[in-house]
Amino acid sequence: MFDFPEIFALPLGEWINIAVDWLTVTLSSVFNIITIGIRTPLVYIERFLWWIPWWALILILAILAWKVARHWVATVTVIGLLFIGLIGLWDHTMTTLAIIVTAVFVSVLIGIPLGITAAKSDRFEQSIRPILDGMQTMPSFVYLIPAVFFFGLGKVPAVVATFIYAVPPSIRLTNLGIRQVAAETVEAGKAFGCTGAQLLFKIQLPLARPSIMAGVNQTIMMALAMVVIASMIGASGLGLEVLRGIERLDVGRGFLAGFAIVIVAIIIDRISQAFGRAGTTRK
Amino acid sequence: MADNNHKIRCQGLWKIFGPRPESIRDLIENGASKQEIREATGHVIAIRDVSFEVQDNEVFVVMGLSGSGKSTLVRCINRLIEPSSGSIFIEGANIGEMDEHDLRELRRHKLSMVFQHFGLLPHRSVIDNVTFGLEVRGDSKKERMENAQKALELVELSGWESSRIQELSGGMQQRVGLARALAIGSEILLMDEPFSALDPLIRRQMQEEFLNLRSKVKKTVVFITHDLLEALTLGDRIAIMRDGAIIQLGTPQEIVTMPADDYVREFVKDVPRGKVVPVSTIIEEPPLVTDGEKSVKATVEEMEKKGVDFAFIVNANGVCEGALALEDALAVKENGATKIGEVARREFPTISPDATLEQGLPLISEGDMPVAALDKGRRLVGIITRAALLKAVQSNGENSGAPKVTTHQG
């Protein structure tokens, strides 16, 4: 009598399975289009990262860091990437980077317009807020499964899963940034005869830029956090190295791959944060 | 339907904030107060049946405390806020009937606005802020630069073109705001408490520069302020608002000398009348006016007969040429043969009838003669005596003719 009566238990899990099966068949063409849409940039980015000589990439990132961020970031970039090369994880890092760059690219491409829409419409903001909450709090393992059903194994479902996990901050902070632009400044734009697009591109987006870039920065960080999890559905790269380290109880291997992820995270974080600051307050 | 001289005409304007403005019509007609309506229905009456006209090249000041509806009113003029009912005409065109495109063109060419907290774009340089309105309406780069340079010159910010906004002080930022508004070359300027966010000293300086600017460029200005002194200093006419309605509309002098009710009276109580009231209100007929050909002897006799110690010499055209003091005349020995034109002072205190009482004070205290009020052609209009001036400065509303009203409950 202390147990919940089993006959009342709803077979909800069953229903979800049925729904997913149905979706897989019915919407297969949609999923095919999405797959192509993700795979195309992914392939090009990956090819580029494999094609570019290691020293050239280090040089480019170091110059970028030197230009936009504090100078020590450039130093960390050089030392960190050299270290990754020395421990033999360069190729894995490039694979991981390709997945992250693609996922962030898709997230920004979809997240910022959604954020703008949310800033312009209270109703839209209210309706997406619970969805965003759900996307962020749902354990990320859970949507690995439908991702596999819809997109198969490999890097494409990894990008999709990473996108779902990482896109909310881009939407939220774009929305917030635009809403926080001083009312008087927006009024000034209108008073001088701005069209809606002029208002957006000349006033709202530039002034919301620090906030939007903070959102993109968070998106990048969350995408990095998904790397290991995504490796469970066949995404190669540093995540897979960590996973193999765990499977084979090879602490050294797992630790080195994990360390490489941290290095990549620090470099991308500092450079992308600096992009948010640039133009508003110069150091 | 609009007279040519009216730049802006506002007729029966209402603005009610709330979900269903029409629903409270009955309450309003039954005379419910703003407070009662807000508590009963949640609707806020921001503007209550406001009508006024702004003439070409006039500075029309709207004065009121916070919550009086003045900022809402100015935003109705360019439809940043949509009025609930009533109409506004700009140069005869009803802006309430304009579609989005026409409204945008109106804002781009005919109206410009200056904001309390400047509303500048911190990600742009000074010059790029000033060109903003021109850029938005699609002017060529060359036109933009020319107009922006001119506007920056007018506000005395030449040389700051490439500075960043954050590097400027508040006063300078508002000059950029003003330059941005001037650059589009509109004839109408809407200024929403433009100097309220500035330090008192800077505010005074900006007010002076505003007056200075007005003498250089022709603009019709609607100026919002909560500072009565600012209103009196800058305004050609002043509308005083309370609870969304205009309770008095008049020249600074009318506001100070004839307050419409206790609310306005309370406001103007502490205003130094000397700053506002012109000397023309206390002008007196000159007791002795003569021409320069008369002999000193004859004039002295005339002065003694009238019991005055001065005379003004006016030629056939009415132009005042000199002033004769009795003591100077008595000092002349050959007084039968000397013409008064020869002994009269060429330098004597004069004032324009439009000058304020305060401006008259130093003249009075210096000389031993009344001050001559001369019009632009130096024709003698009348004299200002020391006694009349001192009395007017000190009276502070007591001689306004308006009966002192005391209110009792009920």
Side-chain angles (χ1 to χ4, degrees):
Chain A
M1 69 178 292
F2 293 104
D3 294 330
F4 198 86
E6 240 171 76
I7 42 164
F8 294 134
L10 290 173
L12 214 54
E14 277 304 307
W15 296 352
I16 291 172
N17 288 341
I18 294 168
V20 168
D21 286 345
W22 181 80
L23 280 174
T24 316
V25 179
T26 331
L27 295 181
S28 61
S29 54
V30 176
F31 294 130
N32 280 338
I33 292 168
I34 296 175
T35 305
I36 294 166
I38 291 171
R39 187 179 287 149
T40 316
L42 182 65
V43 165
Y44 279 107
I45 291 167
E46 205 169 30
R47 272 195 205 154
F48 171 77
L49 287 173
W50 278 345
W51 166 82
I52 191 168
W54 61 271
W55 48 267
L57 187 70
I58 293 178
L59 201 66
I60 290 169
L61 287 176
I63 290 171
L64 195 65
W66 187 273
K67 288 262 182 211
V68 301
R70 286 170 210 281
H71 292 170
W72 64 262
V73 178
T75 320
V76 170
T77 304
V78 174
I79 295 174
L81 290 176
L82 282 176
F83 180 74
I84 288 175
L86 285 174
I87 57 176
L89 288 174
W90 186 266
D91 284 352
H92 289 299
T93 305
M94 291 304 111
T95 307
T96 293
L97 215 50
I99 295 172
I100 289 166
V101 169
T102 311
V104 169
F105 176 72
V106 175
S107 298
V108 167
L109 211 63
I110 293 172
I112 290 180
L114 283 179
I116 294 169
T117 317
K120 304 240 156 179
S121 154
D122 286 341
R123 187 181 291 179
F124 183 72
E125 192 210 12
Q126 278 158 21
S127 58
I128 62 164
R129 188 178 291 165
I131 303 175
L132 295 181
D133 289 340
M135 284 160 81
Q136 279 183 299
T137 45
M138 178 81 72
S140 37
F141 295 95
V142 174
Y143 37 74
L144 286 183
I145 308 158
V148 170
F149 271 125
F150 297 145
F151 301 101
L153 285 170
K155 287 171 194 163
V156 172
V159 169
V160 173
T162 308
F163 160 77
I164 294 171
Y165 182 67
V167 74
S170 280
I171 301 175
R172 280 187 210 273
L173 283 160
T174 301
N175 171 36
L176 184 73
I178 291 176
R179 283 175 185 268
Q180 275 178 341
V181 174
E184 224 182 30
T185 313
V186 176
E187 273 188 331
K190 287 183 186 158
F192 283 93
C194 277
T195 59
Q198 283 174 327
L199 198 63
L200 183 65
F201 287 108
K202 289 181 192 292
I203 292 183
Q204 291 171 318
L205 285 183
L207 293 182
R209 181 179 146 158
S211 175
I212 295 174
M213 285 310 295
V216 172
N217 175 263
Q218 277 196 37
T219 291
I220 295 172
M221 291 301 107
M222 292 178 74
L224 270 161
M226 270 296 278
V227 164
V228 178
I229 295 164
S231 68
M232 294 166 76
I233 52 172
S236 43
L238 293 174
L240 196 62
E241 284 301 295
V242 174
L243 202 63
R244 291 214 177 110
I246 296 169
E247 284 164 3
R248 296 170 198 180
L249 296 177
D250 185 346
V251 179
R253 186 175 183 175
F255 187 79
L256 282 182
F259 196 64
I261 293 175
V262 171
I263 290 171
V264 172
I266 289 173
I267 294 170
I268 302 183
D269 178 53
R270 296 298 136 160
I271 293 179
S272 66
Q273 262 188 25
F275 263 110
R277 280 195 300 268
T280 51
T281 44
R282 286 248 170 242
K283 55 192 156 140
Chain B
M1 77 195 286
D3 297 352
N4 304 336
N5 254 355
H6 299 157
K7 270 281 168 192
I8 304 170
R9 195 153 68 93
C10 182
Q11 226 172 24
L13 201 71
W14 286 83
K15 176 66 196 181
I16 297 160
F17 290 107
R20 289 177 56 239
E22 26 351 303
S23 67
I24 61 166
R25 263 286 123 83
D26 288 346
L27 282 172
I28 294 168
E29 274 162 18
N30 292 335
S33 77
K34 182 177 174 170
Q35 191 72 16
E36 286 162 6
I37 290 175
R38 206 192 68 205
E39 278 165 12
T41 67
H43 286 76
V44 175
I45 303 177
I47 299 176
R48 183 188 268 261
D49 197 16
V50 163
S51 301
F52 62 85
E53 278 149 4
V54 183
Q55 313 293 331
D56 194 9
N57 204 19
E58 179 184 33
V59 176
F60 186 85
V61 176
V62 180
M63 212 278 314
L65 299 181
S66 57
S68 62
K70 57 191 192 304
S71 285
T72 310
L73 180 63
V74 76
R75 281 166 174 72
C76 285
I77 296 174
N78 61 2
R79 272 180 65 190
L80 280 179
I81 293 176
E82 293 286 343
S84 302
S85 67
S87 36
I88 294 171
F89 299 87
I90 290 181
E91 293 176 355
N94 186 344
I95 64 161
E97 290 168 359
M98 289 182 175
D99 60 18
E100 233 174 86
H101 173 266
D102 288 350
L103 180 63
R104 211 154 47 223
E105 288 305 305
L106 179 87
R107 289 170 173 174
R108 287 176 176 184
H109 296 277
K110 300 229 151 146
L111 299 167
S112 50
M113 191 158 176
V114 180
F115 294 85
Q116 182 175 4
H117 302 288
F118 325 135
L120 299 173
L121 305 175
H123 62 289
R124 289 167 165 239
S125 65
V126 167
I127 189 92
D128 287 343
N129 266 281
V130 177
T131 57
F132 182 76
L134 308 164
E135 182 187 317
V136 161
R137 73 182 183 198
D139 286 7
S140 74
K141 181 142 198 188
K142 190 164 153 274
E143 281 174 293
R144 290 195 321 235
M145 285 303 153
E146 275 171 15
N147 285 326
Q149 289 291 359
K150 264 186 231 154
L152 278 177
E153 249 165 64
L154 278 174
V155 300
E156 291 166 14
L157 269 187
S158 300
W160 293 85
E161 288 84 354
S162 54
S163 304
R164 300 187 66 79
I165 296 298
Q166 304 95 305
E167 291 165 10
L168 305 184
S169 66
M172 288 168 88
Q173 291 194 20
Q174 192 55 297
R175 283 173 208 231
V176 177
L178 194 55
R180 176 174 68 178
L182 292 171
I184 71 168
S186 65
E187 287 179 25
I188 300 174
L189 208 54
L190 306 176
M191 303 180 82
D192 180 22
E193 300 211 35
F195 308 144
S196 300
L198 305 175
D199 297 337
L201 269 177
I202 309 287
R203 196 183 310 157
R204 285 300 302 270
Q205 192 188 340
M206 291 292 281
Q207 287 166 358
E208 271 163 37
E209 280 182 33
F210 174 77
L211 289 172
N212 186 18
L213 188 73
R214 274 250 303 155
S215 61
K216 284 190 264 182
V217 286
K218 191 171 162 289
K219 296 278 174 203
T220 305
V221 182
V222 177
F223 192 105
I224 309 295
T225 182
H226 64 251
D227 176 355
L228 183 67
L229 214 53
E230 183 167 83
L232 295 170
T233 316
L234 304 181
D236 293 326
R237 283 192 304 149
I238 300 169
I240 296 187
M241 282 188 85
R242 182 194 185 186
D243 287 344
I246 293 183
I247 52 176
Q248 185 169 10
L249 201 165
T251 62
Q253 191 196 337
E254 283 165 0
I255 301 274
V256 173
T257 56
M258 294 178 282
D261 63 8
D262 283 349
Y263 183 76
V264 182
R265 186 168 297 116
E266 193 58 31
F267 254 121
V268 300
K269 197 178 67 184
D270 300 324
V271 171
R273 291 163 55 82
K275 278 192 198 307
V276 183
V277 179
V279 292
S280 61
T281 53
I282 54 160
I283 264 179
E284 290 168 33
E285 194 73 20
L288 185 53
V289 176
T290 177
D291 63 78
E293 299 301 311
K294 258 192 192 153
S295 73
V296 173
K297 186 165 182 245
T299 313
V300 168
E301 276 166 11
E302 232 178 309
M303 282 168 150
E304 279 167 347
K305 205 169 79 190
K306 290 205 170 177
V308 292
D309 52 4
F310 60 91
F312 286 98
I313 298 165
V314 173
N315 71 9
N317 298 326
V319 174
C320 188
E321 291 183 322
L324 182 71
L326 184 60
E327 51 174 341
D328 294 354
L330 291 174
V332 180
K333 281 176 187 137
E334 303 281 324
N335 62 5
T338 320
K339 290 175 185 167
I340 54 170
E342 294 164 28
V343 294
R345 300 179 190 172
R346 299 289 153 192
E347 305 248 328
F348 54 96
T350 66
I351 194 167
S352 148
D354 298 329
T356 61
L357 297 177
E358 204 177 70
Q359 286 167 311
L361 276 177
L363 301 172
I364 284 291
S365 47
E366 275 165 20
D368 51 358
M369 264 200 251
V371 178
L374 303 185
D375 67 11
K376 283 193 182 117
R378 288 189 67 79
R379 281 183 295 271
L380 186 65
V381 181
I383 59 164
I384 316 289
T385 63
R386 177 193 299 240
L389 183 63
L390 292 179
K391 186 165 164 257
V393 168
Q394 284 161 2
S395 67
N396 237 9
E398 296 308 323
N399 68 341
S400 65
K404 195 96 180 138
V405 184
T406 44
T407 45
H408 296 285
Q409 72 275 28

